[in-house]
Amino acid sequence: MIKYVAGIDIGNATTETALGKIEDGKLLCCTSGITKTTGIKGTKENLYGMVNSLKEACRKMELPMPSLNLIRINEATPVIGDFAMETITQTVITESAMIGHNPDTPGGIGLGIGFTVFLEDIFESDKEKDYIVIISDQYDFPEAAEEINHAEEFGYSIKGLIVQNDDGVLICNRLKETIPIVDEVALINKIPVGYLCTVEVAPPGASIDFLTNPYGIATAFSLSSEETKHVIHIAKALIGNRSAVVIKTPSGSIQERIIPAGEIIITGKKQQYRVNVDDGSDKIMEQVKRAGTIQDIHGSSGTNVGGMLESVRKKMAQITESPEASIFIQDLMAVDTLVPQNVVGALANEFYMEKSVGIAAMVKTQKLHMQHLASLLEESTGCPAEIGGIEGDMAVLGTLTTPGSGKPILVVDIGAGSTDACYLDSTGRKTTIHLAGAGNMVTELIQAELGLSSREEAEAIKKYPLAKAESLFHLKHEDGSVEFFKTPINSGFFAKVLSIQPDGFLPIHTQHSLEKIRSVRREIKKKVLVKNVLRALTQVSSSGTLHEFEHVVLVGGSSLDFELPNMLTDVLAYYGITSGKGNIRGCMGPRNAVATGLLYAYLEEEKNHE
Ligand code: ADP
Ligand code: MG
């Protein structure tokens, strides 16, 4: 007799189906379906995604859905992850000492040093000195340019301009001599007058280099070595800008203030471990490790971490309709990062890369209402549905369909919210663990660190290589290769950094260079994915060292990553471990492991019945 059986895996991000045609306990053929998970994993909102994923598999099999004999869903690990970011430093300018910003169109070019003076006062000034002239929005650009030209004819030496309006280029075009002009400085009245000031504008496509060098600033202002130490922060804050102004005020300074970011309290089996968020991710992860099997994690109340950890708990309590007190946070992953933040006390909305910690947390409860979900599925499809097996076990069973694999096997499933590992040793003993932090955390960190406004762009940067459209007829790829086109590409792509997607190019809206985006992307993948794989292996090993493993099979959506396998190979080779992507059923790549496992578990049961 022929039977049709489907396994459905509901993940945080994706709902996958494996549908098998079975005759006398033998699998004749198999199709699959994949859709986005609808709603939070484990809730009734999942139904829609499940049905669609099933429909796709049925369509490929040319099977009407009601002819299905059995559907099995996974006993989903009740795990939800959440992510929060805590900024722990804040740069504050006391007195106006620096303007460093990226107006779209600064004017002129070069470096100018002189004393600050408002345009209206220039004719009363001392002719012996050099000047940087401040032009408020009372002047329109022809008027401003005329006054400057006039002053120069009169014998005043003007070395640069600071302009309130977005007029830099317009003024520059009307001047007799080219000088650097920084425009769009909103709070022009805060600029101290009569002080020595340096204005720098880099050529198009380049960034300033004199003022990003502390010794450059020291040279301009004849600073002592003690004073030079204080300007390191200024120099750092200006890196990457197209234009900048630095003014030497008597008490002006830039300070880095540490914001108390709260405390994380980890309850281990025997005792509590406490750590401050502003100690950074290494210290936090050290405590997470020391705590061993974590019972629960809290954050001090009234802080961002506290709020975030409690909101994860609350969300899970709502989903499972259980009291918050019964929900425990079982793992936490912290990563150091830098995020662009407005400088407090700045004159032109300057940004500074402040230190932050990104945190992913994971909650586990006793049980999700998977049984309820199975009944709903049964109602809407008209075929029997039941819970088939535990996610980790199913992942191993599915992964074992990879050609060339065998027991013992170590599987790491890198999904959206969590990294799960399962080790099946040669005696059949299984160890499974779930860790917070996977693909979503990578996307969130890319978006935050590059200051992108769209999550779609961050996801694209994560998944696909970059290129730059150097002309309408050629692209330079991130690996240095050049691709030529017979017909011109969309002119909107010109000079942009593009994400090379399978179905075309997505321009990234950012001022960052391709090299910068690439290095941020790779660094974040190392900090999150590589680190978590190592954590996972350490935790499933019986000795706590990695040397007992020989081979790791990677599955889950994040294993599709184009550069992760190489990064992992580099690190794991050190321990003598080889790693590779699974190829489920010899055709699915690292996808569909859990769904396939559900189907194969059924096949094994059938065999045992006979
Ligand atoms: P889950 O089991 O939690 O539903 P999946 O196994 O479907 O998760 O993996 C989803 C994750 O995989 C997402 O974070 C997604 O961004 C990531 N992902 C999917 N395709 C790729 C790819 N080609 N490169 C890198 N990451 C990918
Ligand atoms: Mg999964």
Side-chain angles (χ1 to χ4, degrees):
M1 194 184 81
I2 290 190
K3 269 190 189 168
Y4 293 94
V5 177
I8 305 182
D9 162 33
I10 307 142
N12 283 299
T14 332
T15 301
E16 294 177 283
T17 300
L19 168 63
K21 181 177 178 182
I22 300 165
E23 188 174 24
D24 304 326
K26 274 224 304 278
L27 187 62
L28 298 181
C29 67
C30 192
T31 60
S32 58
I34 180 166
T35 57
K36 253 176 96 110
T37 296
T38 45
I40 295 170
K41 166 165 157 178
T43 58
K44 60 179 188 308
E45 283 74 31
N46 297 163
L47 186 64
Y48 185 73
M50 288 161 76
V51 171
N52 277 338
S53 170
L54 195 57
K55 264 189 197 155
E56 186 189 334
C58 285
R59 195 173 52 240
K60 288 183 188 159
M61 185 77 80
E62 292 176 357
L63 178 79
M65 199 137 76
S67 318
L68 269 172
N69 297 90
L70 180 65
I71 305 170
R72 283 193 160 180
I73 63 176
N74 57 321
E75 176 71 272
T77 24
V79 170
I80 59 168
D82 199 4
F83 177 81
M85 198 97 123
E86 180 92 60
T87 312
I88 55 181
T89 57
Q90 186 182 38
T91 301
V92 181
I93 306 183
T94 53
E95 295 269 324
S96 326
M98 170 197 89
I99 303 170
H101 74 147
N102 267 328
D104 288 336
T105 50
I109 198 168
L111 182 74
I113 303 176
F115 289 88
T116 47
V117 63
F118 274 93
L119 181 55
E120 41 272 52
D121 302 326
I122 183 87
F123 289 103
E124 277 101 66
S125 310
D126 175 3
K127 270 192 192 165
E128 300 298 306
K129 290 182 179 170
D130 292 336
Y131 290 101
I132 300 291
V133 177
I134 309 166
I135 301 174
S136 70
D137 58 7
Q138 291 168 25
Y139 294 89
D140 57 22
F141 61 86
E143 210 181 340
E146 195 182 323
E147 286 285 288
I148 296 293
N149 285 332
H150 194 55
E152 289 201 317
E153 277 162 22
F154 228 75
Y156 286 97
S157 158
I158 296 171
K159 299 292 186 188
L161 305 180
I162 304 173
V163 182
Q164 191 165 24
N165 286 338
D166 181 14
D167 286 345
V169 175
L170 297 168
I171 294 176
C172 178
N173 290 341
R174 288 164 176 76
L175 293 183
K176 297 220 171 87
E177 272 177 59
T178 302
I179 49 175
I181 307 176
V182 171
D183 61 358
E184 294 178 67
V185 177
L187 305 173
I188 213 146
N189 290 321
K190 279 207 194 166
I191 299 175
V193 174
Y195 289 106
L196 199 56
C197 169
T198 312
V199 178
E200 184 179 4
V201 174
S207 51
I208 52 167
D209 71 355
F210 186 82
L211 290 178
T212 53
N213 174 1
Y215 300 108
I217 300 177
T219 313
F221 299 130
S222 330
L223 302 181
S224 68
S225 72
E226 197 48 40
E227 287 171 316
T228 306
K229 277 187 204 146
H230 295 299
V231 301
I232 290 177
H233 272 308
I234 299 184
K236 248 170 71 183
L238 296 176
I239 289 173
N241 281 321
R242 177 77 213 276
S243 64
V245 175
V246 173
I247 303 163
K248 189 190 181 199
T249 59
S251 57
S253 72
I254 294 201
Q255 292 171 350
E256 189 184 69
R257 206 158 67 184
I258 304 275
I259 308 170
E263 204 180 27
I264 297 176
I265 304 135
I266 308 157
T267 311
K269 264 232 159 81
K270 294 199 191 90
Q271 68 177 93
Q272 280 196 341
Y273 297 82
R274 291 169 171 266
V275 58
N276 279 318
V277 173
D278 41 278
D279 285 343
S281 70
D282 282 348
K283 286 267 160 51
I284 299 173
M285 293 317 287
E286 206 174 279
Q287 294 297 60
V288 168
K289 193 170 174 190
R290 280 179 65 196
T293 310
I294 295 170
Q295 310 294 308
D296 202 3
I297 304 179
H298 291 272
S300 46
S301 55
T303 64
N304 276 354
V305 226
M308 173 251 176
L309 293 176
E310 290 324 304
S311 89
V312 176
R313 199 187 307 278
K314 200 175 250 157
K315 219 191 272 175
M316 192 54 137
Q318 278 165 1
I319 295 168
T320 56
E321 293 166 20
S322 38
E324 277 175 43
S326 68
I327 311 281
F328 303 104
I329 295 177
Q330 307 249 293
D331 187 46
L332 179 147
M333 169 81 169
V335 169
D336 286 333
T337 169
L338 293 169
V339 290
Q341 297 275 320
N342 278 313
V343 172
V344 178
L347 297 178
N349 293 322
E350 290 91 345
F351 284 103
Y352 188 55
M353 296 304 282
E354 304 283 7
K355 282 190 206 119
S356 305
V357 177
I359 289 173
M362 201 186 62
V363 174
K364 260 172 135 176
T365 61
Q366 290 314 309
K367 211 171 180 146
L368 289 180
H369 297 301
M370 297 309 279
Q371 191 55 57
H372 180 56
L373 211 48
S375 331
L376 284 177
L377 190 62
E378 200 167 295
E379 252 170 56
S380 82
T381 58
C383 31
E386 61 186 32
I387 293 175
I390 297 166
E391 198 166 312
D393 300 357
M394 296 302 111
V396 169
L397 209 52
T399 307
L400 279 169
T401 65
T402 298
S405 67
K407 292 176 205 171
I409 186 167
L410 172 58
V411 179
V412 179
D413 178 353
I414 317 173
S418 66
T419 301
D420 308 314
C422 186
Y423 179 52
L424 177 66
D425 71 14
S426 38
T427 66
R429 197 177 62 96
K430 244 181 252 158
T431 322
T432 312
I433 53 109
H434 307 281
L435 299 176
N440 280 351
M441 192 179 192
V442 173
T443 307
E444 305 248 13
L445 285 168
I446 290 177
Q447 185 175 359
E449 200 158 318
L450 294 175
L452 302 172
S453 53
S454 109
R455 190 186 158 98
E456 190 200 347
E457 286 179 11
E459 183 78 7
I461 289 174
K462 173 176 89 171
K463 286 190 187 167
Y464 308 110
L466 301 166
K468 179 144 189 186
E470 296 197 323
S471 77
L472 291 180
F473 291 92
H474 82 285
L475 287 185
K476 185 162 182 196
H477 288 275
E478 64 169 67
D479 64 358
S481 62
V482 177
E483 183 180 350
F484 292 93
F485 302 103
K486 286 216 172 82
T487 49
I489 56 168
N490 181 337
S491 60
F493 295 163
F494 177 62
K496 293 257 162 61
V497 177
L498 305 173
S499 169
I500 309 294
Q501 311 203 311
D503 55 354
F505 307 137
L506 178 80
I508 309 294
H509 296 91
T510 174
Q511 305 235 358
H512 296 297
S513 68
L514 183 151
E515 290 73 23
K516 166 84 181 170
I517 302 173
R518 177 173 184 270
S519 85
V520 165
R521 175 191 83 207
R522 291 178 61 86
E523 217 33 58
I524 289 174
K525 285 179 183 175
K526 281 184 200 155
K527 285 193 283 199
V528 178
L529 303 178
V530 174
K531 182 108 194 261
N532 246 357
V533 170
L534 291 179
R535 249 182 2 124
L537 299 197
T538 318
Q539 294 196 16
V540 291
S541 77
S542 53
S543 57
T545 64
L546 301 186
H547 294 283
E548 65 187 81
F549 304 119
E550 280 176 10
H551 196 73
V552 183
V553 189
L554 305 174
V555 299
S558 298
S559 319
L560 289 167
D561 193 286
F562 69 99
E563 57 196 344
L564 179 67
N566 281 342
M567 289 178 177
L568 275 173
T569 301
D570 281 352
V571 176
L572 292 176
Y574 175 79
Y575 301 97
I577 306 174
T578 54
S579 67
K581 279 188 270 195
N583 189 12
I584 314 299
R585 287 189 264 117
C587 66
M588 298 297 296
R591 280 265 180 219
N592 209 266
V594 175
T596 298
L598 286 163
L599 177 62
Y600 275 67
Y602 173 84
L603 281 173
E604 277 187 13
E605 283 166 34
E606 280 263 284
K607 258 182 231 154
N608 295 341
H609 274 296
E610 277 163 20

